[in-house]
Amino acid sequence: MKRAVPKQKILNKEAFSNSNVLLIGTYSSENKGDAAMELSVANRVRKELGATVQISSPFPNIDKAFYSDFEVVFSQRRKLIRASIQLFLAFIYSLLPKATQSKFSFLILSDEGKAILNADLVIDLSGDMLTEDYGPHVAYSHFIPILMSIFLRKKVFLCAQSIGPFGLTTFLAKYIFSKVSRITVRESISYEYMKRFGLSESKLSKTADVAFLLEPAKLERTKEILKEEGLSLPKDRIILGISVSDIIQKKYDARHDVKGKFEDEFASLLDQLIETHKVFVVFVSHVTGPSETKDDRNLSKRIFSKMKNKKSGFVLSGNHRPEEIKRIISQFSLFVGARMHANIGALSVGIPIIAISYSHKTPGIMREFELGDWVHPIETLDMDKLNESILTMYKKRKTIASQISKSNERIKSVAEENIVKIKELLS
């Protein structure tokens, strides 16, 4: 049964031209998933609504160049003590009579706080960070700008995220969910979890990740990139795209209590596929910083260095934009991804994928495409079974690609609902 789509008011672009929208919650443009979400929302808000868009970033020195069309402000949320003091001052400010608040604007010290104070709508794009999966301190760091926005009486939209679970920070999460204007989640697992907070249907709804709205770069640009990289994709081979993650590597090694085990066994798996099924492997990194330890290219190169069949593999070394990576992935036969937004890139362009997961966001989104059986949780990841999955998927690739393409139309339509909600909140 199809969901009834409510009639929307026809709103002129001029009605939003004086609006200020602040995007918060992402980590860095070096994380291409973050960049895909930011660009999908920022470009649409500016183009369709004519609103002014600011982007809050913990790494403005990096992000200012990438988001050159928008103003980037510094977020100090990762400096927990300093950010907590600023949050407390914002709370004090909120208690003052509205008529006298302008005299005490000095209490709002940070650039992010000033941007919040000036915003008509604050949109949180934390992705999968509103959770204690990475520790309660990480959840709290993402709560800080949301809480500040609430204290300063701003409309807040938690947009298209995977949320939960919470432990120590449950009381803060519950408070936030009760105070924000809208919440959308991007998959059913989060939606079922969020029901426990007793939120109304008008506040909570399931949509899809806004990165599905990011259009891939033109094919000509992809040809230019591959030429610059020195890669010519063989036409007579199975092209297997690979996106690895340091999170997966560390969890796999910890599970077996052997450092380097993931690199050794994954390299061996790829060699086996090359030798038995004429596979050509291309490593695509979806996180390239902001630090060396966060750069997936380093892990990709280490795995590649341990492969025997180096002539049948390639590591893309450039720092490419998310829309460029989307188009590059479209040239592959199959994709194996440990980064969810790399997988979203593959799904967006109809490429069959096998996902390696470390949180509920991955199986949640894969189930939206009826691909739940093609997820390998890191807790039980077995290289022989992964090998078997890759070969089985290749045999079924045409059917699965058709299934993905049919689902894409629905998913992108649902992702559009996030843009509609932004318009409603600004109207």
Side-chain angles (χ1 to χ4, degrees):
M1 183 176 177
K2 293 184 177 180
R3 287 190 293 177
V5 179
K7 291 183 178 179
Q8 305 296 332
K9 293 186 291 185
I10 298 175
L11 299 165
N12 296 323
K13 186 175 180 179
E14 290 75 18
F16 304 105
S17 60
N18 293 321
S19 298
N20 295 306
V21 176
L22 176 64
L23 308 184
I24 64 171
T26 58
Y27 183 61
S28 167
S29 59
E30 298 283 79
N31 182 313
K32 310 308 174 183
D34 282 354
M37 292 188 293
E38 294 275 23
L39 291 173
S40 296
V41 174
N43 286 331
R44 292 289 297 275
V45 169
R46 187 184 61 172
K47 182 179 178 181
E48 296 182 16
L49 306 183
T52 298
V53 178
Q54 291 179 299
I55 296 173
S56 175
S57 165
F59 303 96
N61 292 337
I62 295 172
D63 290 348
K64 280 180 180 178
F66 185 87
Y67 301 121
S68 57
D69 292 336
F70 307 96
E71 182 183 355
V72 176
V73 299
F74 179 37
S75 171
Q76 296 186 355
R77 70 167 190 265
R78 301 181 77 243
K79 301 179 185 297
L80 291 184
I81 296 176
R82 187 179 301 176
S84 296
I85 292 171
Q86 293 172 353
L87 178 61
F88 175 72
L89 292 175
F91 177 69
I92 296 299
Y93 177 89
S94 71
L95 298 178
L96 297 172
K98 195 169 184 180
T100 63
Q101 283 182 341
S102 60
K103 297 178 182 179
F104 294 89
S105 58
F106 62 85
L107 292 172
I108 309 301
L109 300 173
S110 66
D111 290 342
E112 184 177 50
K114 291 172 184 175
I116 290 171
L117 197 59
N118 191 49
D120 297 295
L121 175 63
V122 178
I123 302 174
D124 182 74
L125 296 170
S126 288
D128 70 329
M129 304 307 290
L130 299 186
T131 175
E132 288 190 24
D133 281 349
Y134 308 102
H137 64 294
V138 176
Y140 173 63
S141 73
H142 282 262
F143 287 162
I144 288 172
I146 301 172
L147 288 167
M148 186 177 290
S149 302
I150 292 169
F151 293 162
L152 297 178
R153 297 180 178 85
K154 299 298 175 178
K155 293 180 181 178
V156 181
F157 177 23
L158 306 186
C159 181
Q161 303 188 32
S162 294
I163 301 178
F166 301 103
L168 292 174
T169 61
T170 298
F171 73 101
L172 283 175
K174 187 173 183 180
Y175 174 78
I176 286 171
F177 300 152
S178 71
K179 295 296 182 181
V180 297
S181 302
R182 296 283 190 282
I183 304 169
T184 57
V185 293
R186 58 189 179 183
E187 31 75 20
S188 296
I189 297 174
S190 291
Y191 186 67
E192 291 302 316
Y193 178 80
M194 290 295 286
K195 283 183 179 179
R196 69 183 62 190
F197 292 98
L199 303 171
S200 66
E201 290 184 5
S202 62
K203 175 171 285 192
L204 172 68
S205 58
K206 182 170 79 71
T207 57
D209 196 299
V210 290
F212 283 106
L213 301 176
L214 184 70
E215 290 297 324
K218 293 181 179 179
L219 184 58
E220 285 303 311
R221 176 56 187 147
T222 300
K223 292 178 180 178
E224 290 173 4
I225 290 171
L226 296 183
K227 186 177 180 180
E228 291 166 3
E229 292 269 4
L231 172 60
S232 177
L233 294 173
K235 296 182 180 179
D236 60 341
R237 306 283 290 276
I238 300 169
I239 310 299
L240 176 63
I242 301 288
S243 168
V244 292
S245 158
D246 67 313
I247 299 173
I248 292 293
Q249 174 231 337
K250 290 173 182 176
K251 286 180 177 291
Y252 191 85
D253 288 357
R255 191 180 114 207
H256 294 88
D257 199 24
V258 179
K259 187 175 181 180
K261 188 174 180 66
F262 177 81
E263 296 171 16
D264 293 339
E265 294 192 354
F266 202 72
S268 178
L269 165 66
L270 297 176
D271 275 327
Q272 186 178 349
L273 288 167
I274 290 166
E275 291 165 5
T276 59
H277 288 84
K278 293 182 66 177
V279 167
F280 188 89
V281 176
V282 182
F283 288 89
V284 180
S285 297
H286 222 250
V287 176
T288 55
S291 65
E292 280 290 313
T293 57
K294 299 289 185 183
D295 194 336
D296 290 343
R297 290 173 296 187
N298 295 327
L299 176 57
S300 298
K301 290 173 183 176
R302 291 199 301 273
I303 295 170
F304 182 70
S305 71
K306 295 180 178 183
M307 290 170 57
K308 294 182 294 184
N309 301 280
K310 292 182 175 60
K311 290 185 179 179
S312 292
F314 196 91
V315 179
L316 292 175
S317 59
N319 191 3
H320 304 301
R321 296 176 64 86
E323 62 268 34
E324 294 171 343
I325 294 174
K326 236 183 209 194
R327 181 59 74 187
I328 290 170
I329 291 173
S330 74
Q331 306 304 298
F332 300 159
S333 310
L334 302 173
F335 195 76
V336 176
R339 293 285 186 185
M340 190 58 236
H341 274 102
N343 295 343
I344 285 175
L347 291 166
S348 296
V349 292
I351 299 301
I353 75 163
I354 293 169
I356 302 173
S357 70
Y358 60 86
S359 78
H360 75 261
K361 64 180 178 181
T362 300
I365 291 174
M366 290 287 280
R367 288 175 194 173
E368 298 300 314
F369 286 82
E370 298 180 7
L371 295 173
D373 292 339
W374 300 97
V375 177
H376 290 256
I378 189 58
E379 294 81 7
T380 57
L381 178 63
D382 179 275
M383 294 299 173
D384 290 334
K385 291 181 180 179
L386 181 57
N387 182 21
E388 184 181 337
S389 283
I390 293 169
L391 297 178
T392 302
M393 175 163 276
Y394 182 70
K395 292 176 184 177
K396 298 180 177 181
R397 67 191 183 282
K398 291 183 180 179
T399 301
I400 292 172
S402 176
Q403 175 184 323
I404 291 171
S405 295
K406 289 177 182 176
S407 296
N408 255 324
E409 185 178 348
R410 172 181 56 82
I411 293 294
K412 289 177 181 177
S413 175
V414 175
E416 284 284 350
E417 292 179 20
N418 294 297
I419 307 301
V420 172
K421 291 183 189 301
I422 292 171
K423 293 177 181 178
E424 291 174 347
L425 289 168
L426 282 173
S427 62

